[in-house]
Amino acid sequence: VTVQLKNAAGSVIGSTVTDATGYYNFSVDPGTYSIAVVAPAGYLTTVKDAGGNDALDSDINAQGNSGQVTVAAGQNYKDLDAGLYKTASIGDRVWFDANGNGTQDAGEAGVCGVKVNLYNAQGAVVASATTDASGNYLFSNLVPGNYYLGFVPPAGYGFTKADIGGYATDSDVNPATGLTTTWVTLKSGDVQLDWDAGLVKLASLGDRLWV
């Protein structure tokens, strides 16, 4: 990763690249400096000054620039760090579970027009999507973190049994709530395309009580 050194006036006066473990270093005269990190394609800068420990946090803003620091003669300043991440994606398919066995079997069709909500760890809806003609949906360009999904079934439909069989072919939705049965933890660059929901046609039972 390219790291630029800037003087007190904000002019670039040097440049280097990080080594195999992400470290960089500039030998400088005493004075006031800042750095600018040139993020590689596909990477974004993480939150600045998070956590309260300057030795561990990221010190660059969204544009890749740090604040200015002043170094004295002989000082070894090692706290100008930068955290980068790739966005993540999540999605897959809503299908009609014709035999109600909780597993996507050959020939079972996707369901178009189903609303899917993406919730953050605090329970707020951060995005919504609608399944396409094949029953597929996708949330992309997400910041890594914890999420869960909520599916809104069409009228007259409910959800099939959850967590039956293989992870790629089961339904991941709690039938009682329409929410995924576990948190979705997305790491930098994750593409998780196996969060499915199986729908079943609801039936009815009843008649009459009389005196």
Side-chain angles (χ1 to χ4, degrees), residues 3 5 38 57 60 84 91 107 119 186:
V3 183
L5 178 69
V38 183
D57 67 358
I60 61 173
L84 304 176
Y119 297 83
L186 295 176

Side-chain angles (χ1 to χ4, degrees), residues 102-163:
T103 299
Q104 298 180 56
D105 297 309
E108 290 184 332
V111 181
C112 177
V114 177
K115 184 178 181 180
V116 187
N117 293 317
L118 180 69
Y119 297 83
N120 62 17
Q122 291 71 46
V125 176
V126 295
S128 295
T130 303
T131 57
D132 64 16
S134 300
N136 298 319
Y137 72 95
L138 178 67
F139 295 102
S140 57
N141 297 318
L142 300 175
V143 177
N146 290 325
Y147 299 89
Y148 61 95
L149 296 161
F151 297 81
V152 182
Y157 287 83
F159 296 102
T160 191
K161 294 169 285 190
D163 302 327

Side-chain angles (χ1 to χ4, degrees), residues 12-87:
V12 176
I13 58 173
S15 181
T16 189
V17 294
T18 56
D19 65 15
T21 54
Y23 287 97
Y24 73 95
N25 186 71
F26 291 105
S27 295
V28 298
D29 295 325
T32 299
Y33 303 92
S34 65
I35 64 164
V37 175
V38 183
Y43 284 85
L44 300 173
T45 59
T46 192
V47 179
K48 182 177 182 290
D49 295 331
N53 186 340
D54 198 48
L56 299 176
D57 67 358
S58 181
D59 300 298
I60 61 173
N61 61 21
Q63 291 71 45
N65 299 308
S66 76
Q68 292 186 334
V69 296
T70 300
V71 292
Q75 183 179 4
N76 190 18
Y77 192 92
K78 291 293 185 180
D79 288 337
L80 277 179
D81 307 302
L84 304 176
Y85 70 91
K86 285 185 174 181
T87 58

